[in-house]
Amino acid sequence: MRIGGLASGINTDQIIKDLMNAEKQPLNKMEQEREWLTYKRDAYRDVNKKLSELDTMTFDMKLNRSYNSKEVRSSDSAVSATAVSNAEEGSYKMEVLELAEAAYNYSENGISNGEFDPDDTLENQQGNLINGISLDDTFSITTYGEGGEETTVSFNVTGEKSLHDILDEISDSELGVRAFYDKGADKVMLERTETGDFNTDESNFLGAEIGFNGTSASFLADTLDIKNGKNNGTGWELNERGGTDARFTYNNSFEMTSHTNDYSLNGMNFTFNKVGTSTVSVSNNVDDSFEKVMNFVEKYNEIIDDLNGKTEEKRYRDFSPLTAEQKKEMEKEEIELWEEKSKSGMLKGDSVVSGVLSSMRQNWYAPVETDGEYSMASQIGITTTSNYREGGKLEVDEDQLRSALRDSPDSVAKLFSGTDTNPGIARRLETSIEEATKFIERKAGKPTSLDNNFMLGRQIKSINDDMSSFQDRLTAIENRYWREFGAMEKAIQKMNSQSAYLMQNFGGGM
């Protein structure tokens, strides 16, 4: 804590403060320069953000599906369908003869006396099971996969487990079986999680999808009363229900099967809902394709307008960036208005932004070599505006675009996509955006970049280092001022003491 002027009566604090304000002017200039570089960095990053948004939409414009959206109609609810972009237009008649079903088997009768608790241990509940139970037993279940491969899992029946514990073990296993107990029916259900007939060999568990041997699986066959089969007097008959494949005929020609109620054919994805016949019609969805192209054009024009605005924005040179000290003396609204002026025109006449605008504009003019009907954007109704002040914004003849999408969507797709050797409009735009983005990142970095990794960041870091050094210098200067004024105060105090001494001595002699 320093107090000056006690001997001299001079306002030392204010004098040193004024002197330091003068000394700090270079520091203020550095702070303003740093802020200006920060504004510039952020302005460039905003450009990259806009270009990234456009790049995302440009990628979609390369995809064939963007121009070949399909509309699917079904004459009956027996079959529903969707179509991918390469599905051919036309009609598909599907007759569903049988739906695919999951195999299931369940207790033939109630398994308890009504007092059974499936959450209590089997040791405590064995008296409530009608058919009894053999504890410390083991049983196995076998299921089948797509190629008929077997999966067999064994389970242990012990007294400390509950019925729910064992059923959960079955459900959580690799068998693909749901197992549960319904207290109301007092029965256990075993159900495959997949539809279809995978076990086609009747010598394996009578063709069951959930196979087990009744003699070696007494817990299932006896305690839970789930039988794999029964003897009808002439032979064994499978108890299990379901486990069937879907059967259908295609265009009245040949019968086909599927393990599920879904089937893909010729770019179509059919779903069978019930037995019956349905005619599925496929046509190009021009409205959907048209909307995608128009959304892209709208986004493109929005970004072109924004970037053009940045290169033409007025620069207010009288509104230098505010220092921290200046902000302390201003209201929030005043700061916002001032900074709006300060940040204006950061990219006025910028060659990087002007360059990418010019490159993107050229992409629409140059012809594209394809084997399709169209080689120029103008042939599908897309042109750049004749008003040079709009900087290459696009105009669309909607009727011409619709006609192109309806008559030759593949040619429109080729015009935008092209090939690696002969890139289309969208590929060219991607290249222009990529080159501009990389250049800007070298100059302004990304939000996650370290200052040392881009040009403006290195400049900002250099200024920060200079400011830190200059601040040390200011501290030394301020200390020097206080020492000098302190020495002056001591001299004045000494003179005052001498004067008082002389006055006292001369005054005493008279």
mmCIF file of all heavy atoms in Angstrom, residues 35 53 110 122 164 183 304 327 367 506:
data_model
loop_
_atom_site.group_PDB
_atom_site.id
_atom_site.type_symbol
_atom_site.label_atom_id
_atom_site.label_comp_id
_atom_site.label_asym_id
_atom_site.label_seq_id
_atom_site.Cartn_x
_atom_site.Cartn_y
_atom_site.Cartn_z
ATOM 1 N N GLU A 35 -7.526 -8.289 -30.306
ATOM 2 C CA GLU A 35 -8.966 -8.434 -30.474
ATOM 3 C C GLU A 35 -9.342 -8.432 -31.950
ATOM 4 O O GLU A 35 -10.211 -9.176 -32.386
ATOM 5 C CB GLU A 35 -9.704 -7.316 -29.732
ATOM 6 C CG GLU A 35 -9.646 -7.436 -28.222
ATOM 7 C CD GLU A 35 -10.192 -8.762 -27.746
ATOM 8 O OE1 GLU A 35 -11.370 -9.060 -28.024
ATOM 9 O OE2 GLU A 35 -9.428 -9.524 -27.117
ATOM 10 N N GLU A 53 -21.918 -26.758 -43.837
ATOM 11 C CA GLU A 53 -23.351 -27.007 -44.009
ATOM 12 C C GLU A 53 -23.662 -27.309 -45.473
ATOM 13 O O GLU A 53 -24.429 -28.231 -45.779
ATOM 14 C CB GLU A 53 -24.153 -25.793 -43.538
ATOM 15 C CG GLU A 53 -24.066 -25.533 -42.035
ATOM 16 C CD GLU A 53 -24.723 -24.215 -41.642
ATOM 17 O OE1 GLU A 53 -25.317 -23.562 -42.524
ATOM 18 O OE2 GLU A 53 -24.635 -23.833 -40.464
ATOM 19 N N GLY A 110 -52.297 -77.281 -16.374
ATOM 20 C CA GLY A 110 -51.741 -76.498 -15.289
ATOM 21 C C GLY A 110 -50.686 -77.290 -14.551
ATOM 22 O O GLY A 110 -50.817 -78.515 -14.391
ATOM 23 N N LEU A 122 -37.306 -73.646 -5.733
ATOM 24 C CA LEU A 122 -37.994 -74.894 -6.081
ATOM 25 C C LEU A 122 -38.025 -75.853 -4.903
ATOM 26 O O LEU A 122 -38.965 -76.650 -4.754
ATOM 27 C CB LEU A 122 -37.297 -75.537 -7.284
ATOM 28 C CG LEU A 122 -37.429 -74.765 -8.606
ATOM 29 C CD1 LEU A 122 -36.570 -75.417 -9.690
ATOM 30 C CD2 LEU A 122 -38.888 -74.700 -9.049
ATOM 31 N N HIS A 164 -38.668 -68.935 -12.130
ATOM 32 C CA HIS A 164 -38.314 -67.755 -12.926
ATOM 33 C C HIS A 164 -36.817 -67.711 -13.211
ATOM 34 O O HIS A 164 -36.416 -67.281 -14.299
ATOM 35 C CB HIS A 164 -38.755 -66.485 -12.207
ATOM 36 C CG HIS A 164 -40.178 -66.126 -12.471
ATOM 37 N ND1 HIS A 164 -40.879 -65.200 -11.715
ATOM 38 C CD2 HIS A 164 -41.059 -66.579 -13.396
ATOM 39 C CE1 HIS A 164 -42.108 -65.108 -12.176
ATOM 40 N NE2 HIS A 164 -42.250 -65.933 -13.188
ATOM 41 N N LYS A 183 -49.155 -67.015 -14.700
ATOM 42 C CA LYS A 183 -49.782 -67.482 -13.455
ATOM 43 C C LYS A 183 -51.271 -67.725 -13.650
ATOM 44 O O LYS A 183 -51.841 -68.656 -13.066
ATOM 45 C CB LYS A 183 -49.547 -66.449 -12.347
ATOM 46 C CG LYS A 183 -49.894 -66.959 -10.955
ATOM 47 C CD LYS A 183 -49.445 -65.985 -9.892
ATOM 48 C CE LYS A 183 -49.754 -66.508 -8.495
ATOM 49 N NZ LYS A 183 -49.002 -67.742 -8.173
ATOM 50 N N ILE A 304 -24.323 -18.388 -50.495
ATOM 51 C CA ILE A 304 -23.717 -17.442 -51.440
ATOM 52 C C ILE A 304 -24.038 -16.014 -51.012
ATOM 53 O O ILE A 304 -23.178 -15.123 -51.015
ATOM 54 C CB ILE A 304 -24.249 -17.699 -52.865
ATOM 55 C CG1 ILE A 304 -23.719 -19.034 -53.397
ATOM 56 C CG2 ILE A 304 -23.841 -16.568 -53.804
ATOM 57 C CD1 ILE A 304 -22.234 -19.104 -53.569
ATOM 58 N N LYS A 327 -14.193 -1.104 -21.632
ATOM 59 C CA LYS A 327 -15.477 -1.766 -21.397
ATOM 60 C C LYS A 327 -16.007 -1.490 -19.993
ATOM 61 O O LYS A 327 -17.228 -1.447 -19.785
ATOM 62 C CB LYS A 327 -15.337 -3.278 -21.609
ATOM 63 C CG LYS A 327 -15.149 -3.677 -23.065
ATOM 64 C CD LYS A 327 -15.018 -5.193 -23.209
ATOM 65 C CE LYS A 327 -14.819 -5.592 -24.662
ATOM 66 N NZ LYS A 327 -14.686 -7.052 -24.825
ATOM 67 N N PRO A 367 -19.293 -27.762 -68.669
ATOM 68 C CA PRO A 367 -20.039 -28.980 -69.016
ATOM 69 C C PRO A 367 -19.473 -30.212 -68.307
ATOM 70 O O PRO A 367 -18.304 -30.244 -67.923
ATOM 71 C CB PRO A 367 -19.852 -29.084 -70.529
ATOM 72 C CG PRO A 367 -18.617 -28.310 -70.826
ATOM 73 C CD PRO A 367 -18.561 -27.210 -69.825
ATOM 74 N N PHE A 506 16.616 30.720 15.064
ATOM 75 C CA PHE A 506 16.629 32.180 14.862
ATOM 76 C C PHE A 506 15.549 32.853 15.672
ATOM 77 O O PHE A 506 15.729 33.929 16.179
ATOM 78 C CB PHE A 506 16.466 32.487 13.362
ATOM 79 C CG PHE A 506 17.749 32.262 12.596
ATOM 80 C CD1 PHE A 506 17.826 31.304 11.568
ATOM 81 C CD2 PHE A 506 18.880 33.024 12.872
ATOM 82 C CE1 PHE A 506 18.996 31.113 10.874
ATOM 83 C CE2 PHE A 506 20.034 32.820 12.172
ATOM 84 C CZ PHE A 506 20.106 31.878 11.152
#
